[in-house]
Amino acid sequence: MKNCLITGGAGFIGCEVSKLIEDTFDNIIVIDNLHPQIHKLNERPADLSPKVNLYVADVMDPITWDEVLSKWKPDLILHLAAETGTGQSLTESSRHANVNVVGTTQMLDALIRNDAIPSKIVLSSSRAVYGEGKWLDKDGISFYPGQRSNEQLANKEWDFKESVFLPMNTNHTTPQPTSIYGTTKLAQEHLISCWCKSYGVNYTILRLQNVYGPGQSLINSYTGIVSLFVRLAKQNKSIPLYEDGMMLRDFVFITDVARAIYEVMINENANGKVFDIGSGYGSTIKEIAELIAKRYEAPTPEVCEKYRNGDVRHAQADISDTLQVLNWCPEVSLEEGMNLLCDWIDGQLEE
């Protein structure tokens, strides 16, 4: 393959992918605005492959697209550019909608305008599209509980009574987002799939769980709960546990995610499909906090009963279908991944 274009490619996931694919493509082109919420310095990230042609620009700018596409005709596009803060999306809805939705339509329009239709588009989506997902009641009947109301959360009714959460699976769980962010990501999925079908372009959509690991932003307060926990523990502070601390999350290591992206780039069996990418293991937030507190000999994490509207009670992937189709499986265990991340954060904070 010749040219790979990555939107938002100077971020956490993009940098890892760029190193993995640098020998697969003749040219790698990245468009990224180096937003200060993610990038402390407005300069090329050290982790970005030196083979990358970086355009510091906004995906919402049609002039940028025309400039890039007049020079580079992408064979494959990896669409990573997105605003990702679940809580922030409630107070900055227009920003999330503009970047995630309008940024995507600007890209699609520019591809037509510049006669630059690619062979394939890979979209990085999110488990947020599922919302609370599917649950099983006491009679063994599945149902969709929908979004937890502010009144319910204020009354500390964290769970759906006498019900059990079912891991998220693209073939069995209907998307019902409970956040502005999740809604915009589902819109991205629909935009990419219908556009690609109309123009005969292959596409693959990856619904990522909680991605973590060395290289993630340490200054973005809206993502990276693990890095926040590490900083508190290193300051010998007790980590606050929202709700009752028993929310499930599926933490998947950055190298496993990058390998999944590379796999769907080259695997024709992935065309036209949506995959769940996670570890397949649901750990409680309390479990993560205790693991980190123990490493740094910090005080025991404490339940604070705070909550965030739009947050889901549980999130965990059922990756069984993904494993059947892709030549991929997660390799980094939670304990190994957390230690690698903590080692990296220690090094960063000592510099």
Side-chain angles (χ1 to χ4, degrees), residues 3-7 29 31 59 61-70 72-79 103-122 191-192 195-196 199 201-203:
N3 299 329
C4 177
L5 189 152
I6 310 177
T7 68
I29 306 97
I31 301 176
V59 292
D61 180 18
I63 296 176
T64 292
W65 280 109
D66 290 343
E67 177 186 351
V68 172
L69 296 177
S70 64
W72 310 99
K73 303 301 180 187
D75 297 283
L76 185 146
I77 295 176
L78 171 58
H79 191 32
T104 300
T105 56
Q106 287 284 10
M107 175 183 73
L108 298 176
D109 287 347
L111 293 173
I112 298 297
R113 189 168 63 245
N114 290 276
D115 192 24
I117 296 179
S119 297
K120 186 171 185 174
I121 296 178
V122 175
L191 289 168
I192 293 296
W195 186 90
C196 286
Y199 288 98
V201 175
N202 291 316
Y203 71 92

Side-chain angles (χ1 to χ4, degrees), residues 21-242:
I21 68 171
E22 59 183 10
D23 294 327
T24 302
F25 295 90
D26 294 329
N27 302 290
I28 304 172
I29 306 97
V30 163
I31 301 176
D32 196 301
N33 65 359
L34 299 183
H35 197 286
Q37 184 170 305
I38 304 295
H39 300 271
K40 187 175 183 179
L41 302 174
N42 187 30
E43 60 185 32
R44 184 188 181 100
D47 289 336
L48 189 63
S49 168
K51 294 186 178 182
V52 164
N53 300 279
L54 175 62
Y55 287 79
V56 180
D58 201 308
V59 292
M60 291 187 292
D61 180 18
I63 296 176
T64 292
W65 280 109
D66 290 343
E67 177 186 351
V68 172
L69 296 177
S70 64
K71 183 176 182 180
W72 310 99
K73 303 301 180 187
D75 297 283
L76 185 146
I77 295 176
L78 171 58
H79 191 32
L80 297 175
E83 293 292 348
T84 59
T86 300
Q88 187 181 34
S89 70
L90 278 172
T91 58
E92 298 187 39
S93 303
S94 296
R95 175 181 161 190
H96 280 71
N98 281 330
V99 174
N100 299 355
V101 179
V102 177
T104 300
T105 56
Q106 287 284 10
M107 175 183 73
L108 298 176
D109 287 347
L111 293 173
I112 298 297
R113 189 168 63 245
N114 290 276
D115 192 24
I117 296 179
S119 297
K120 186 171 185 174
I121 296 178
V122 175
L123 171 65
S124 168
S125 188
S126 168
R127 55 92 172 161
V129 302
Y130 290 118
E132 292 287 355
K134 185 190 290 188
W135 290 60
L136 208 62
D137 68 16
K138 62 180 180 179
D139 297 319
I141 300 173
S142 63
F143 71 103
Y144 289 86
Q147 183 172 347
R148 295 179 294 174
S149 67
N150 186 55
E151 180 182 6
Q152 180 180 350
L153 294 171
N155 290 331
K156 303 175 185 177
E157 298 173 8
W158 313 126
D159 266 312
F160 299 101
K161 294 180 180 178
E162 299 182 317
S163 302
V164 178
F165 168 74
L166 297 175
M168 300 157 168
N169 180 295
T170 183
N171 293 314
H172 303 290
T173 311
T174 303
Q176 295 188 7
T178 59
S179 66
I180 301 298
Y181 166 62
T183 301
T184 62
K185 293 301 290 185
L186 185 57
Q188 273 190 337
E189 291 190 13
H190 292 320
L191 289 168
I192 293 296
S193 63
C194 70
W195 186 90
C196 286
K197 289 174 183 176
S198 296
Y199 288 98
V201 175
N202 291 316
Y203 71 92
T204 304
I205 296 169
L206 301 179
R207 291 175 178 166
L208 308 181
Q209 292 285 325
N210 288 51
V211 186
Y212 76 105
Q216 66 186 80
S217 176
L218 297 181
I219 63 171
N220 186 359
S221 58
Y222 294 98
T223 59
I225 188 173
V226 178
S227 61
L228 172 62
F229 285 1
V230 170
R231 280 177 287 170
L232 290 171
K234 284 175 68 68
Q235 296 168 15
N236 202 37
K237 295 180 179 179
S238 175
I239 299 170
L241 301 174
Y242 275 37

Side-chain angles (χ1 to χ4, degrees), residues 9-20:
F12 177 35
I13 296 176
C15 284
E16 191 66 32
V17 172
S18 72
K19 293 179 286 187
L20 198 59

Side-chain angles (χ1 to χ4, degrees), residues 259-279:
R259 287 191 304 102
I261 291 173
Y262 180 70
E263 165 67 11
V264 301
M265 284 181 171
I266 63 174
N267 190 336
E268 292 185 358
N269 292 327
N271 293 346
K273 294 183 175 67
V274 183
F275 295 101
D276 296 292
I277 302 299
S279 70

